[in-house]
Amino acid sequence: MPSLSRKTTRTGTAFRGAAILSAAAAVTLALSGCTRLDTTAPSAARAHPAATVQAARYGTVDCRQAKCIALTFDAGPSENSARLLDILKQKQVPATFFLLGERHITKYPELVKRMAAEGHEVASHTWDHKILTEIEPDEIREELKRPNDAIEKLTGHRPTLMRPPQGRTNDTVNKISKEMGLAEVLWSVTAKDYTTNDSALIQKRVLDQASRDGIILLHDIYPGTVPAVPGIIDALKERGYVFVTVPQLLAPGKAEPGEVYRP
């Protein structure tokens, strides 16, 4: 089984049905496959400035100085995403969206366009949420290529970030991601919002785990999640946090293809 080293590592997200519950146990297990994989912390990425780093829509934030945290959402767009975008616009908070292709990008193309137009980072969560460590290399490439093609067609920008379903990755996934110009992004905060519709509990779980350079994992496909977002934002702002996208969190460094990032 994997030996996980720091530069920092961990995993565990979830999606539908029984896979969601089994993924909960994977939160502490991290990476699939009997290989050794390193992950890179945001602070380590910032120590190596890139030649060019795009400024974000909501202004330039230097996370070497500011107390930054990144809000990320998996598995959308969904019928809840328009309300979420309204909240983020009102609060002036940028987020990173790791989108699914089938039944999501294809069903809500206007929301994908809106995410990009309003300054959010639009990234990939694969086409159909297949566990990448359990499929053949050609299938991995297809799972990563199809959402990137769809997002680029809608937004004019090809994603450079992806989040593997359930956070499961290995050296094969890393190699293919590198070939396709993608960095992998894991997380440090999970509300396990796939287990509850209690918005107050979701908020509490996030606030209990939040720390500087954190990457918060939520799912806007679940009914309790979006109502929890305003309280999460307000409480973290009161604690002095500045919300940024994942690329902002790494700046002046830059996400490198084939690397796996986690606080």
Side-chain angles (χ1 to χ4, degrees), residues 189 191 202-210 216 218 232 236:
V189 178
I202 292 169
Q203 178 178 329
K204 181 180 186 300
R205 287 173 173 174
V206 170
L207 298 181
D208 285 350
Q209 298 172 62
I216 300 168
L218 293 169
I232 290 169
L236 290 177

Side-chain angles (χ1 to χ4, degrees), residues 165-185:
Q166 298 182 7
R168 295 179 182 269
T169 188
N170 59 21
D171 53 358
T172 300
V173 177
N174 296 160
K175 180 181 178 181
I176 292 171
S177 295
K178 185 174 183 178
E179 290 172 2
M180 300 183 72
L182 291 166
E184 299 174 59
V185 179

Side-chain angles (χ1 to χ4, degrees), residues 3-254:
S3 173
L4 305 178
S5 67
R6 276 199 145 190
K7 289 180 145 199
T8 65
T9 299
R10 207 173 281 165
T11 184
T13 186
F15 189 47
R16 12 179 209 268
I20 291 170
L21 297 178
S22 64
V27 171
T28 58
L29 180 60
L31 306 179
S32 173
C34 298
T35 57
R36 180 181 180 84
L37 293 169
D38 291 337
T39 66
T40 301
S43 58
R46 293 196 296 266
H48 301 282
T52 59
V53 177
Q54 285 187 332
R57 173 68 59 89
Y58 293 113
T60 300
V61 177
D62 188 346
C63 293
R64 294 169 298 184
Q65 306 297 326
K67 186 179 174 183
C68 292
I69 198 163
L71 192 56
T72 74
F73 296 90
D74 279 13
S78 75
E79 65 273 14
N80 305 315
S81 299
R83 175 58 184 148
L84 174 58
L85 289 169
D86 290 343
I87 292 167
L88 296 174
K89 186 175 183 179
Q90 178 188 11
K91 302 287 187 182
Q92 289 290 284
V93 165
T96 302
F97 288 91
F98 293 93
L99 304 182
L100 281 175
E102 190 170 13
R103 299 182 299 276
H104 295 274
I105 294 172
T106 55
K107 187 173 181 179
Y108 301 100
E110 294 306 314
L111 288 176
V112 178
K113 292 178 183 178
R114 182 179 169 189
M115 289 168 182
E118 294 185 358
H120 304 291
E121 185 72 15
V122 181
S124 167
H125 194 41
T126 73
W127 185 255
D128 195 27
H129 208 263
K130 291 178 181 176
I131 306 305
L132 300 180
T133 56
E134 298 177 358
I135 60 178
E136 295 300 315
D138 285 348
E139 292 180 274
I140 296 172
R141 291 184 177 90
E142 188 72 3
E143 278 290 294
L144 298 179
K145 181 179 183 296
R146 291 183 71 185
N148 282 3
D149 289 347
I151 290 168
E152 184 176 29
K153 184 176 180 180
L154 291 169
T155 69
H157 174 70
R158 194 166 188 82
T160 58
L161 305 177
M162 78 92 165
R163 177 168 283 159
Q166 298 182 7
R168 295 179 182 269
T169 188
N170 59 21
D171 53 358
T172 300
V173 177
N174 296 160
K175 180 181 178 181
I176 292 171
S177 295
K178 185 174 183 178
E179 290 172 2
M180 300 183 72
L182 291 166
E184 299 174 59
V185 179
L186 303 183
W187 59 90
S188 58
V189 178
T190 175
K192 297 183 181 179
D193 51 354
Y194 46 86
T195 66
T196 181
N197 290 331
D198 185 338
S199 298
L201 179 59
I202 292 169
Q203 178 178 329
K204 181 180 186 300
R205 287 173 173 174
V206 170
L207 298 181
D208 285 350
Q209 298 172 62
S211 61
R212 184 171 183 173
D213 285 350
I215 298 176
I216 300 168
L217 167 63
L218 293 169
H219 301 78
D220 51 326
I221 58 174
Y222 299 121
T225 300
V226 171
V229 171
I232 290 169
I233 291 172
D234 292 345
L236 290 177
K237 282 185 175 181
E238 287 178 5
R239 296 183 187 180
Y241 286 97
V242 178
F243 287 91
V244 294
T245 63
V246 170
Q248 283 179 295
L249 190 65
L250 306 181
K254 184 179 180 182

